């Protein structure tokens, strides 16, 4: 019997196409031994949530650089809840001013990583917070 | 029992979780699949294979649309390679199928190739069963590329589509991999590119159907042009779906379907045997370090692999410690 | 031969002696690191000497300003006659908000306008589309109809100020609005000047703002080139952009090579499709580059860009008009070089990058504001950024002489190296059958993704340094005031849009959309029909929906 493989999804909700960070993270997660679902740019929250559930991921990492995170991130959490999938952890990244952090945490985003966050710190966070889920 | 009911009712969460548990080889997963098994066997299973970059995902996406127009529900299993270095994988096939993301009649699941022990075929077979139990009318399995592993997966399918692209030297690769023989329908994708005519001619001469009895299935060749000429592309992919349906009808009428089901069952038993005999033996030998020793001795010509294997087989089969 | 035999001989002797000294010194004082590289990871030597320029020919490779190969600039008088255009990219909230920011910038000495649109506008959606949740007015100005556009250019003298519009898939629509607005204000089309970015290839490669597939996207671009050549001669109808390619993680060489290969693709397409003579449109092609933090690499990249383009236009396309051989470009300092940590340091970075652009001979410049990595730029931050350019132009003396670094062993050698590496890429893409074929294969996308990942790994291992991020990190906060767009902006915009939809002549709108559809199907130039449609108050999404309907939609292939 082997150990649970961590499965994550990297998603870009909204209209911005700045996917440099998202694509780097997808590769980084692969190199950390995770299975990564990458869905490209311009996703609606509905598409993100449907894919997350079909793929049974442990975690959804949202990336948004357009300023629409205040609306889009909480929407993803809400939709997961509606679909009875609140056990899927949602984290976020992108250009997110610190003053928005609390609002996003309150909405159910578990962690926020902004420019300059090291890849290792993100991988470590996932390993610490995702292990043990079944 | 609860899980079985939910999956048979089409519950996506339970289904995707069970596929995951089976992949991760959780002990509670196999018994659940056993319970599901009586509910499987009713879906029409299509395998799509072809070299990386041939456009398999794009064609899968188009086929989903066609089957949905016929009000048939669809399951898709998209296989992507696992990195041999990290054990991780980027599963990106579903990007090309995003427009179906919110359609409740479509269930798309990505699968990484994972282990080196050849468990992929069983993992794929398991996932197909779960989709069958969900009641999907059609299940499409998309392979990584062309190779032995793919060939095994493809045996789970009733109809096999081989995707070729002009100018990629595919035809030779395909022949080598022995896929020509198992193709039921050929799709020449990106047929607007130079070399398409030539590929068609070559394919026709390779197929050389003249010796076949009149009732035999002759694998049709469908040319599909530029994805971005929407009208033409839609028409050509509709033709592809049509040819696949014709093949399905042929299987039913000719009695070939029973043979394919048999082939599939044989495959599943073989996979299951590997999983319950070979895998535990190998795992134990790896864990105890014995495999390494044997490898060294064989390398140094102190032992031969055949005797070693026989010794191991006798030991484990007698002791019964393989399950 | 660039140097005499004697000089070279002497140089060899002295260099050998110096190398010996270096080896001796290294025994007791080793270097701080193994490799010394540019930000793009090109290896840089400890010293450059005449030997690095052995194969150079002065007349052929360097020459003088205004002469082939235009390495030293297009203008014979350099910056003495005229500085580069101070052109700050600005746009936020409503058309009125942005108009106010524009007037502030003009008051402060800006010499050209540059428009940032919000994502719904960039993607061809109206503000009330369900795709635009939370996006309206956030990253730029929201423009749905000609009414918004007229508010945007209120009291802007269109015959005196040139305006750049960063707009791609809906470029025909927004440019039609500009033309319609000029017409309404009584300014002849021949008098208006500016630029539409209108470069779809780099969208597929890097920036990911796309709508229709490559082929019809390029067709629409060729329509604007044709229309511009006939009726709007002072307009730059494509701004072939490397900026976004670089921001996506490309190296300097990749930025240069992919951008120039994009340019080649457009020129080939316009000649083939529109049967135009190259000299009838090439002078209106403009370029747009990034200026990153590696001072010398950027200067050399910009110099190499001019030389490659001149050769391409002369040798590949047989252009005769010297203006066709000129590469005119705008530069923006690198957004990706800025840090959210210790944001005031960004002023210093931007200054160095702006200096590189000027020493590289740019015609136009945007300097990023220190807070752009956090939010939309505040008025104060924009002012500092604009002043940075003005200080460079007025105080530092860097404008006194043309191409001041020419002839430097290092600069010329690095310029040559970057040019050679760019040609390798260009030839590789030629062999693939051109840029569209390469994009379909995912080639440039993967090259950029590889470079971006490598750089990130180098940051993690501290092989590359970003101050405040992986070295000299402090816990101290350097707070900057953040600009926020009121969520009400979106509601207001939607209200205005619905008001326009209610009051306009519906039959006229319907007819103009039908005309555009017909033009799309027959292959006629869409520009005249777009101008009538926007005058009839068709919304930009309505026009873009016609494109989507006829041409199909392009979706992100998700290459990683």
């Amino acid at each position: 019997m082997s150990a649970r493989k961590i499965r994550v999804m990297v998603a870009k909700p909204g209209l911005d196409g700045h996917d440099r960070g998202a694509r780097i993270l997808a590769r980084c997660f692969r190199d950390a031994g995770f299975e990564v679902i990458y869905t490209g740019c311009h996703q609606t929250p509905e598409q993100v949530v449907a894919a997350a559930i079909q793929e049974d991921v442990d975690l959804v990492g949202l990336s948004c650089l357009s300023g629409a995170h205040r609306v889009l991130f909480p929407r993803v959490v809400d939709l997961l809840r509606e679909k009875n999938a609140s056990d899927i952890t949602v984290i976020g990244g992108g250009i997110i001013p610190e003053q928005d952090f609390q609002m996003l945490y309150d909405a159910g985003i578990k962690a926020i990583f902004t420019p300059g966050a090291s890849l290792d710190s993100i991988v470590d966070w996932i390993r610490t917070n995702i292990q043990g889920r079944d | 029992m609860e899980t079985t009911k939910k999956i048979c009712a089409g519950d996506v969460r339970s289904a995707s979780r069970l596929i995951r548990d089976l992949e991760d080889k959780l002990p509670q997963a196999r018994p659940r699949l056993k319970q599901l098994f009586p509910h499987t066997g009713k879906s029409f299973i299509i395998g799509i294979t072809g070299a990386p970059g041939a456009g398999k995902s794009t064609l899968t996406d188009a086929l989903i649309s066609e089957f949905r127009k016929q009000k048939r529900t669809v399951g898709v299993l998209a296989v992507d390679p696992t990195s041999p270095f990290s054990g991780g994988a980027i599963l990106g096939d579903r990007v090309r199928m995003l427009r179906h993301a919110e359609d409740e009649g479509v269930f798309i699941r990505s699968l990484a190739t994972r282990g080196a022990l050849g468990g992929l075929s069983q993992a794929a077979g398991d996932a197909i069963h779960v989709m069958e139990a969900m009641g999907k009318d059609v299940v499409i399995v998309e392979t990584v590329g062309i190779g032995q592993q793919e060939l095994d997966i493809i045996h789970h399918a009733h109809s096999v589509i081989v995707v070729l692209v002009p100018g990629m030297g595919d035809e030779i690769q395909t022949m080598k991999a022995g896929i020509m023989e198992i193709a039921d329908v050929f799709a020449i994708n990106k047929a607007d590119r130079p070399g398409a005519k030539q590929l068609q001619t070559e394919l026709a001469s390779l197929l050389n159907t003249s010796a076949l009895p009149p009732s035999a299935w002759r694998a049709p060749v469908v040319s599909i042009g530029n994805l971005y000429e929407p009208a033409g592309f839609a028409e050509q992919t509709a033709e592809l779906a049509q040819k696949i349906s014709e093949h399905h009808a042929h299987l039913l009428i000719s009695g070939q379907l029973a043979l394919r089901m048999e082939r599939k069952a044989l495959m599943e038993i073989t996979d299951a045997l590997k999983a319950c005999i070979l895998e535990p033996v190998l795992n134990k030998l790896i864990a105890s370090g014995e495999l390494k020793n044997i490898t060294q001795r064989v390398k140094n010509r102190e032992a031969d692999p055949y005797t070693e294997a026989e010794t191991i087989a006798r030991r484990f089969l007698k002791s019964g410690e393989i399950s | 031969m660039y140097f005499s035999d004697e000089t070279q001989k002497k140089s060899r002797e002295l260099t050998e002696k110096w190398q010996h000294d270096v080896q001796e010194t290294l025994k007791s004082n080793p270097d701080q690191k193994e490799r010394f590289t540019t930000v793009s990871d090109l290896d840089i030597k400890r010293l450059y000497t005449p030997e690095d320029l052995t194969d150079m020919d002065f007349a052929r490779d360097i020459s003088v300003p205004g002469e082939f190969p235009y390495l030293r600039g297009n203008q014979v008088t350099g910056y003495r006659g005229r500085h580069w255009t101070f052109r700050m990219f600005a746009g936020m909230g409503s058309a009125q908000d942005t108009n106010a920011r524009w007037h502030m910038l003009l008051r402060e000495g800006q010499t050209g306008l540059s428009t940032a649109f919000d994502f719904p506008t960039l993607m061809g959606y109206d503000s009330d589309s369900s795709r635009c949740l939370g996006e309206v007015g956030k990253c730029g100005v929201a423009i749905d109809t000609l009414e918004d556009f007229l508010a945007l250019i209120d009291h802007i003298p269109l015959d005196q100020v040139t305006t750049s519009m960063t707009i791609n898939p809906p470029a025909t629509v927004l440019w039609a609005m500009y033309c319609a607005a000029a017409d309404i204000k009584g300014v002849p089309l021949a008098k208006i000047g500016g630029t539409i970015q209108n470069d779809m290839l780099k969208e597929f490669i890097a920036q990911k703002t796309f709508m229709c597939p490559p082929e019809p996207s390029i067709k629409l671009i060729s329509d604007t080139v044709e229309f511009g050549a006939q009726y709007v001669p002072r307009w730059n109808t494509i701004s072939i952009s490397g900026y976004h390619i670089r921001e996506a993680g490309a190296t300097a060489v990749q930025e240069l090579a992919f951008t120039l290969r994009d340019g080649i693709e457009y020129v080939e397409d316009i000649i083939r499709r529109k049967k135009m003579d190259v000299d009838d449109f090439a002078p209106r092609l403009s370029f747009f580059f990034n200026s990153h933090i590696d001072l010398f690499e950027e200067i050399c990249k910009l110099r190499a860009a001019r030389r490659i383009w001149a050769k391409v236009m002369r040798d590949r396309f047989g252009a005769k008009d010297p203006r066709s051989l000129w590469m005119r470009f705008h530069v923006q300092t690198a957004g990706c070089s800025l840090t959210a940590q210790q944001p005031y340091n960004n002023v210093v970075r931007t200054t160095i990058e702006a200096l590189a652009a000027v020493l590289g001979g740019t015609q136009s410049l945007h300097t990023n504001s220190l807070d752009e990595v956090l939010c939309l730029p505040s008025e104060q931050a924009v002012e500092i950024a604009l002043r940075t350019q003005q200080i460079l132009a007025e105080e530092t003396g860097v404008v006194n002489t043309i191409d001041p670094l020419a002839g430097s062993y290092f600069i010329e050698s690095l310029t040559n190296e970057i040019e050679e590496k760019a040609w390798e890429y260009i030839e590789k893409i030629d062999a693939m059958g051109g840029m569209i074929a390469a994009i379909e294969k995912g080639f440039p996308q993967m090259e950029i993704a590889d470079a971006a990942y490598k750089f990130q790994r180098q940051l993690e291992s501290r092989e590359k340094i970003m101050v405040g991020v992986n070295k000299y990190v402090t816990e101290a906060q350097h707070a900057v005031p953040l600009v926020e767009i009121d969520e009400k902006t979106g509601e207001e915009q939607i209200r205005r849009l619905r008001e326009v939809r209610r009051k306009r002549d519906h039959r006229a709108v319907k007819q103009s959309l039908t005309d555009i559809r017909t033009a799309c199907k027959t292959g006629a130039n869409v520009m005249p029909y777009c101008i009538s449609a926007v005058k009839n108050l068709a919304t930009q999404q309505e026009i873009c929906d016609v494109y989507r309907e006829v041409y199909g939609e392009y979706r992100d292939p998700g290459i990683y």
Side-chain angles (χ1 to χ4, degrees), chain C residues 355-379:
Chain C
L355 177 63
V358 172
L359 293 176
T362 192
Q363 277 77 59
S364 167
L365 181 61
H366 166 96
T367 30
N368 287 327
S369 302
L370 68 101
D371 52 358
E372 274 181 76
V373 69
L374 302 165
C375 60
L376 283 173
S378 71
E379 231 175 73

Side-chain angles (χ1 to χ4, degrees), chain A residues 23 37-41 43 47 51 55, chain B residues 51-65 76 78-81 90-101 106 108 110 142-144 189-190 227-228 233, chain C residues 439-443 445-446 553-560:
Chain A
R23 297 198 301 170
I37 317 297
Y38 179 60
T39 53
C41 300
Q43 304 293 294
Q47 288 172 327
E55 297 289 355
Chain B
K56 296 185 291 291
S57 304
T58 305
L59 291 186
T60 302
D61 174 71
L63 287 176
I64 299 173
S65 301
V76 175
V79 186
D80 264 324
I90 299 181
L91 308 167
D93 288 332
R94 67 176 302 132
V95 171
R96 289 171 194 81
M97 308 171 203
L98 273 171
R99 58 186 166 141
H100 305 292
V106 180
I108 301 167
S110 313
E142 187 197 317
T143 71
V144 181
N189 200 18
K190 309 180 190 184
L227 159 69
Y228 294 121
F233 185 78
Chain C
I439 288 169
E440 275 182 22
K441 285 195 175 73
F443 174 71
Q445 300 96 308
M446 280 304 278
E553 271 189 81
Y554 184 85
R555 296 188 301 265
D556 183 7
I559 294 163
Y560 42 83

Side-chain angles (χ1 to χ4, degrees), chain C residues 513-540:
Chain C
L513 293 175
T514 305
D515 292 344
I516 294 175
R517 188 174 295 110
T518 310
C520 287
K521 286 182 175 162
T522 59
N525 194 315
V526 298
M527 277 310 298
Y529 303 104
C530 282
I531 295 175
S532 346
V534 299
K535 279 188 177 169
N536 286 328
L537 296 175
T539 69
Q540 63 119 352

Side-chain angles (χ1 to χ4, degrees), chain A residues 1-7 26-27 29-41 43-44 46-47 50-51 53-58 83-88 133-134, chain B residues 12-13 16-18 20-21 23-28 82-83 86-95 98-104 106-114 283:
Chain A
M1 195 195 74
S2 37
R4 262 273 192 245
K5 181 75 93 178
I6 294 179
R7 264 172 97 86
R27 285 179 175 215
F29 292 156
R30 176 197 61 197
D31 292 349
F34 304 167
E35 287 181 357
V36 189
I37 317 297
Y38 179 60
T39 53
C41 300
Q43 304 293 294
T44 63
E46 287 78 6
Q47 288 172 327
I53 291 175
Q54 290 181 11
E55 297 289 355
D56 192 38
V57 294
D58 300 302
K83 302 267 180 193
N84 212 5
S86 298
D87 54 320
I88 297 176
R133 169 184 182 253
D134 70 14
Chain B
V12 175
R13 281 233 82 188
S16 58
R17 175 55 53 87
L18 180 58
R20 174 103 182 268
D21 292 348
E23 271 189 279
D24 287 342
K25 301 191 196 302
L26 296 197
Q28 71 270 27
T82 291
S83 156
S86 68
I90 299 181
L91 308 167
D93 288 332
R94 67 176 302 132
V95 171
L98 273 171
R99 58 186 166 141
H100 305 292
E102 289 173 75
D103 179 349
E104 292 191 347
V106 180
F107 175 62
I108 301 167
R109 186 63 159 66
S110 313
L111 191 72
T113 52
R114 289 204 188 174
N283 283 337

Side-chain angles (χ1 to χ4, degrees), chain C residues 182-249:
Chain C
D183 195 35
I184 289 166
K185 301 254 171 191
V187 181
L189 288 188
K191 288 241 166 107
I192 61 171
T195 305
I196 40 178
Q197 194 165 78
N198 203 24
D199 168 13
M200 282 310 297
L201 290 172
K202 66 92 172 54
E203 297 296 341
F204 299 115
I205 295 171
Q207 170 89 344
K208 314 290 164 72
T209 306
F210 32 55
M211 184 166 82
C212 298
E215 216 300 316
S217 297
I218 306 255
K219 187 267 171 189
L220 289 175
I221 293 168
S222 72
D223 281 357
T224 62
V225 173
E226 184 182 48
F227 187 80
Q230 283 171 8
Y231 305 106
V232 205
R234 290 180 57 215
W235 202 278
N236 302 313
T237 36
I238 321 179
S239 169
I240 306 156
S241 307
Y243 183 82
H244 321 83
I245 291 176
R246 191 68 178 280
E247 289 288 306

